[in-house]
Amino acid sequence: MCDVVNEIELEKERCENSTFGNFTSGCQGMWDIIACWPSASVGEVVTITCPTYFSYFSDQHKGNLSKTCTADGWTEMHPFDIAVNCGYNLNGTGDDGKFFWQVKIGYTIGHSVSLISLTTAIVILCIFRKLHCTRNYIHMHLFVSFILKAIAVFIKDVVLYEVGEVDNCSSGSVGCKVVIVFFQYCIMASFFWLLVEGLYLHALLAVSFFSERKYFWAYILIGWGGPTVFITAWSIAKAYYNDVGCWDIIENTDVFWWIIKTPILASILMNFILFICIIRILRQKINCPDIGRNESNQYSRLAKSTLLLIPLFGINFIVFAFIPEQVKTELRLVFDLILGSFQGFVVAVLYCFLNGEVQAEIKRKWRRWHLQRYMGSDTKYQHPSIGSSNNFSTQITMLTRCSPKTRRGSSACHDDLSCI
């Protein structure tokens, strides 16, 4: 961590300033890479407290280090003794490395699954024209934000861990900083588009006369424009006031991190409030005696779909939002990185693969293609005339138009409340 490196440099500078020019007949004060030792006479045993930077590695860092001044100079301390005395667990570091490697494998698998499923979902929503509507356009923007997030994670891992851009805490290259800025932008965009989903669903239920085109451009401005403003402000602040490393390490003393964290927390809290309002509106509509049975069942299905959207609205992140970073670190990594990497897959499943109108449209196209293939193979042996061929085409058209299942499937996107 750069905090550790910077604190070691400060300790070294203080030590050199305090011991400079102090010559004694015994051992001269010095910095031995680990700690600062004052001047001492021959035969004197010097005991100092462990340096403060050991607090980054262990809560039990308040130990002591001892050296003896001899005629030949200071006695040497074994690194193992220093680690034990200052509470540094050598055995725990290997386990931590294994755990972090397992976490990396876990979120790599999760983002890969999400990337494949989201790409498939976008292709499905694009190729079927009857699925083109404002609601599905918003879904596709949400899919794109999660696809960009997965791609940004893969690029970041390659740049930081395979290319080796950040081996020190000096100013990193422009390319690696651009990668981190893009990574932070994609994360914030995914949260903002989840907020847009909540805003759209609330407007659909609460607003009597809902102009979808008018609101759609406002949603685009929120989903893509909002993160642009905050990430630009964060980048400028980092470049001018805290240009350390590759901007990938979040330090405890980095106040500029709140430029990113505050909008994300605000979007999560807004989605939580919207979720409560949506549940309240649905409850009122379901219990209203003036609505018919079919409409009541329609609102019941919408309520069930809304309950499935709880993880998408970021409610699970509220649990860790105000807990310090040092508390429950392993549990936080599992939730934020591994489970969070499958969020795109869950989005694709709920908004596309389990969508009733999507399934109906796929089935309708499959039946139509199967019917045309069957009738086409049958006409090869009949050699129909031009008149009978026209009659055949008319029959297929009438079958397609008059099929009850097809009629139900063709009403896709006409009723925004039927399936969310």
Side-chain angles (χ1 to χ4, degrees), residues 5-22:
V5 176
N6 293 334
E7 192 157 343
I8 291 175
E9 290 296 327
L10 289 175
E11 291 281 350
K12 178 182 178 181
E13 184 177 352
R14 294 193 198 102
C15 181
E16 291 176 349
N17 292 335
S18 62
T19 59
F20 179 76
N22 294 335

Side-chain angles (χ1 to χ4, degrees), residues 226-301:
T228 302
V229 173
F230 293 109
I231 296 299
T232 301
W234 176 75
S235 302
I236 295 174
K238 291 287 288 185
Y240 280 93
Y241 301 105
N242 191 20
D243 190 10
V244 178
C246 199
W247 301 356
D248 62 310
I249 300 176
I250 308 302
E251 306 289 359
N252 296 329
T253 57
D254 188 5
V255 295
F256 302 114
W257 173 239
W258 286 98
I259 300 177
I260 295 178
K261 191 173 184 178
T262 302
I264 292 178
L265 290 177
S267 67
I268 293 173
L269 292 176
M270 288 180 64
N271 254 335
F272 179 75
I273 296 173
L274 288 172
F275 175 76
I276 300 299
C277 295
I278 290 169
I279 294 298
R280 181 179 58 83
I281 296 173
L282 287 174
R283 183 180 178 184
Q284 292 175 353
K285 290 183 178 293
I286 291 174
N287 296 333
C288 182
D290 296 333
I291 64 175
R293 182 176 180 181
N294 292 334
E295 191 174 357
S296 177
N297 293 334
Q298 176 179 319
Y299 285 124
S300 298
R301 291 194 300 269

Side-chain angles (χ1 to χ4, degrees), residues 201-209 281 285:
L201 181 57
H202 182 266
L204 203 63
L205 294 171
V207 180
S208 301
F209 300 97
I281 296 173
K285 290 183 178 293

Side-chain angles (χ1 to χ4, degrees), residues 349-368:
V349 169
L350 292 182
Y351 279 130
C352 182
F353 302 141
L354 294 183
N355 191 313
E357 64 186 24
V358 173
Q359 294 178 351
E361 185 67 13
I362 293 176
K363 291 178 181 178
R364 188 181 73 86
K365 289 290 185 180
W366 170 258
R367 286 195 300 267
R368 184 174 183 178

Side-chain angles (χ1 to χ4, degrees), residues 13-257:
E13 184 177 352
R14 294 193 198 102
C15 181
E16 291 176 349
N17 292 335
S18 62
T19 59
F20 179 76
N22 294 335
F23 297 100
T24 62
S25 58
C27 299
Q28 184 180 354
M30 66 171 210
W31 171 262
D32 68 344
I33 303 177
I34 301 295
C36 182
W37 298 92
S39 301
S41 57
V42 177
E44 182 181 356
V45 178
V46 178
T47 301
I48 62 173
T49 58
C50 290
T52 56
Y53 61 81
F54 274 95
S55 61
Y56 290 96
F57 306 107
S58 174
D59 295 331
Q60 302 175 354
H61 66 282
K62 296 180 180 180
N64 295 320
L65 299 176
S66 297
K67 275 190 177 184
T68 303
C69 178
T70 65
D72 297 329
W74 290 103
T75 57
E76 295 294 333
M77 288 192 67
H78 195 276
F80 181 78
D81 297 330
I82 298 175
V84 171
N85 292 339
C86 293
Y88 186 72
N89 189 359
L90 295 175
N91 295 328
T93 56
D95 295 337
D96 290 342
K98 183 179 180 181
F99 171 75
F100 292 141
W101 176 252
Q102 292 173 347
V103 169
K104 185 176 184 295
I105 293 176
Y107 73 69
T108 301
I109 295 174
H111 284 299
S112 301
V113 173
S114 296
L115 185 62
I116 295 173
S117 58
L118 289 167
T119 304
T120 305
I122 288 181
V123 172
I124 292 175
L125 294 181
C126 288
I127 62 177
F128 296 116
R129 290 186 177 181
K130 292 185 178 180
L131 298 178
H132 292 182
C133 60
T134 302
R135 174 166 48 83
N136 286 337
Y137 290 154
I138 294 176
H139 294 343
M140 285 191 283
H141 279 277
L142 178 65
F143 296 165
V144 171
S145 69
F146 277 99
I147 288 175
L148 292 177
K149 177 182 174 182
I151 294 175
V153 169
F154 295 146
I155 296 176
K156 177 181 69 70
D157 286 350
V158 170
V159 171
L160 297 185
Y161 305 122
E162 294 186 16
V163 178
E165 284 280 355
V166 286
D167 294 333
N168 53 62
C169 290
S170 60
S171 180
S173 66
V174 176
C176 104
K177 293 175 183 177
V178 170
V179 170
I180 297 301
V181 170
F182 176 66
F183 170 72
Q184 298 292 353
Y185 174 81
C186 294
I187 291 179
M188 185 177 289
S190 64
F191 279 101
F192 271 57
W193 275 107
L194 286 175
L195 173 61
V196 168
E197 290 283 353
L199 290 171
Y200 176 79
L201 181 57
H202 182 266
L204 203 63
L205 294 171
V207 180
S208 301
F209 300 97
F210 183 54
S211 177
E212 294 188 349
R213 284 189 177 181
K214 180 181 178 181
Y215 281 87
F216 180 67
W217 292 107
Y219 293 148
I220 290 181
L221 186 62
I222 294 173
W224 298 118
T228 302
V229 173
F230 293 109
I231 296 299
T232 301
W234 176 75
S235 302
I236 295 174
K238 291 287 288 185
Y240 280 93
Y241 301 105
N242 191 20
D243 190 10
V244 178
C246 199
W247 301 356
D248 62 310
I249 300 176
I250 308 302
E251 306 289 359
N252 296 329
T253 57
D254 188 5
V255 295
F256 302 114
W257 173 239

